[in-house]
Amino acid sequence: MLQIQQNVSLKNFNTFGVEANAHFFAEINHEDELVELFMDPQWQQTPRLVIGGGSNLLLINDFDGLVIRMNIRGIEHRINHNEVFVEAGAGEVWNDLVNFCVQRGYAGLENLSLIPGSVGASPIQNIGAYGVELKDVFYSCRAFEINTSQFKTFTKADCKFGYRESVFKAELKGRYIIVSVKFDLSLIPNLNLRYGAIEEELANRGITEPTIKDVSQVVSHIRVAKLPDPSTIGNAGSFFKNPVITVAEFEPVKEKFPEIVNYPAGEGLIKLAAGWLIEQCGWKGKVVGNTGTWKNQALVLVNHGSATGEEVYNFSSQIIDSVYSKFGVSLQREVNIIS
Ligand code: EPU
């Protein structure tokens, strides 16, 4: 039976570890519970926040509405020749799914090892790391439409994936709740070792013919070295997106800062490393009150203990302002700001 709790602390449901209360809180363990929940028309009208691992959120205030925590579990797998279809419940922990696949030799998710968060959140911002994005392995997802209480399957094309973007963050924002995701994996690894640090670490370990397990271990090692562990230092990964600008916008910046870190990002577009821009403004490893940037990765904002969401948000505005005044480049927040 679905239970709706009142005045629930969200401190343990957001990896930033900031204090905020949910007026109403429901945990969904089975997709039928979504149908049951929305049979009561009051929840159609109430502001809603759907959370998984809470690893891409910054809560600025108490949430005066209904928080829905997705906890649907289960992983199913089906092998067809060399292709493997793996379908996981939205509430599965992302890295548990990666380990499930790596242990069985199902290739495709290894570069995405140790990303915090849940399976259901992964398509929303098309998670990515070390040369691979979710869209490279995504097959489809099943989602609940709040207005109609119907379930719908979204193909890869339906999701309109882009860099940290999807239809669920854009035109369909707030209309669907993802209940499961299906991945198209392979028994024949097609390793992606383009990211320099992976090659370097494999060489350090004397590995010349890596398996997907090796890649998963190496990626995990790189992440642990660079990124703070949310269970000890509150954070939500990269706080900003890497800005994508046109070549015309890039030229004058490059002239002034020839050493600027940049990558081609498609026809006429350049992606800049936000971490580099922030570091150049002197913010790397800075502690400001209870917040700051991480010492090994300036793109990650951290909670040094008792930061409020507002404090982190104000600090992020300071960073945006200083990057803009030095480089003329606008940083966009990647983390979901809930106010
Ligand atoms: N850099 C600096 N200073 C810093 C941080 C980075 O100069 O403090 C420079 C590095 O030297 C490097 C470049 O910026 O040349 C890129 O840095 P890194 O490889 O660490 O990756 P990133 O672009 O900062 C992105 C993703 C991460 C993902 C890594 C690895 C975004 C917003 N972030 O970070 O994703 O793990 O690449 O693929 O695209 C996340 O989304 O939460 C996340 C952690």
Side-chain angles (χ1 to χ4, degrees), residues 56 115 125 128-131 163-164 195 223 226-227 236-242 261 263 271-277 279-280 284 294-300 334:
N56 202 41
I115 293 184
Q125 55 147 350
Y130 307 105
Y163 167 57
R164 297 292 191 273
Y195 189 87
R223 285 191 78 95
K226 266 198 176 174
L227 300 168
S238 300
F239 197 89
F240 304 99
K241 289 202 223 181
N242 285 326
V261 179
Y263 318 91
K271 192 188 268 185
L272 303 178
W276 186 87
L277 299 171
E279 180 172 352
Q280 296 301 307
K284 190 170 183 171
W294 184 235
K295 58 184 188 318
N296 300 332
Q297 201 352 328
L299 190 48
V300 178
E334 194 243 291

Side-chain angles (χ1 to χ4, degrees), residues 27-265:
E27 186 168 272
I28 301 295
N29 293 293
H30 191 275
E31 60 180 47
D32 291 349
E33 289 173 336
L34 286 172
V35 179
E36 187 187 338
L37 176 68
F38 286 99
M39 270 195 303
D40 181 343
Q42 78 155 302
W43 302 123
Q44 297 271 354
Q45 318 306 329
T46 309
R48 292 177 299 268
L49 170 65
V50 180
I51 61 171
S55 59
N56 202 41
L57 288 183
L58 181 65
L59 298 157
I60 310 263
N61 296 310
D62 287 342
F63 189 74
D64 193 17
L66 172 66
V67 171
I68 300 173
R69 176 155 199 269
M70 294 302 288
N71 195 34
I72 299 174
R73 298 294 171 132
I75 304 180
E76 284 172 18
H77 47 134
R78 184 169 60 78
I79 299 180
N80 183 9
H81 300 291
N82 289 323
E83 200 170 13
V84 191
F85 289 100
V86 177
E87 184 163 12
E92 285 291 336
V93 172
W94 175 263
N95 198 48
D96 291 350
L97 171 70
V98 174
N99 288 336
F100 176 96
C101 294
V102 168
Q103 273 158 23
R104 288 168 177 76
Y106 303 165
L109 299 183
E110 54 282 357
N111 291 48
L112 304 177
S113 297
L114 222 58
I115 293 184
S118 65
V119 166
S122 64
I124 294 175
Q125 55 147 350
N126 181 25
I127 59 170
Y130 307 105
V132 174
E133 284 186 336
L134 177 93
K135 71 171 169 50
D136 304 327
V137 285
F138 179 94
Y139 185 74
S140 65
C141 67
R142 184 173 154 82
F144 173 79
E145 185 174 27
I146 292 166
N147 280 346
T148 62
S149 282
Q150 301 289 314
F151 290 89
K152 182 183 164 181
T153 298
F154 286 79
T155 65
K156 192 193 293 204
D158 294 336
C159 293
K160 300 188 185 166
F161 290 124
Y163 167 57
R164 297 292 191 273
E165 284 297 339
S166 77
V167 75
F168 302 109
K169 270 178 92 172
E171 61 257 41
L172 298 185
K173 192 174 172 148
R175 285 182 46 195
Y176 285 88
I177 298 175
I178 294 171
V179 296
S180 66
V181 184
K182 194 170 183 177
F183 300 87
D184 188 359
L185 307 178
S186 177
L187 292 179
I188 304 174
N190 178 14
L191 298 182
N192 186 328
L193 309 176
R194 271 173 296 170
Y195 189 87
I198 296 184
E199 281 195 318
E200 237 170 74
E201 185 56 27
L202 285 169
N204 282 346
R205 296 177 182 210
I207 299 171
T208 49
E209 287 183 20
T211 61
I212 60 170
K213 215 174 250 181
D214 294 325
V215 175
S216 174
Q217 283 169 359
V218 161
V219 165
S220 301
H221 172 89
I222 298 168
R223 285 191 78 95
V224 168
K226 266 198 176 174
L227 300 168
D229 174 0
S231 65
T232 49
I233 298 196
N235 76 90
S238 300
F239 197 89
F240 304 99
K241 289 202 223 181
N242 285 326
V244 178
I245 60 175
T246 64
V247 170
E249 288 165 332
F250 177 62
E251 290 304 337
V253 190
K254 167 93 180 156
E255 193 136 307
K256 209 165 158 202
F257 304 96
E259 68 292 7
I260 189 166
V261 179
N262 67 95
Y263 318 91

Side-chain angles (χ1 to χ4, degrees), residues 286-302:
K286 272 266 159 71
V287 179
V288 178
N290 297 301
T291 182
T293 64
W294 184 235
K295 58 184 188 318
N296 300 332
Q297 201 352 328
L299 190 48
V300 178
L301 270 54
V302 294

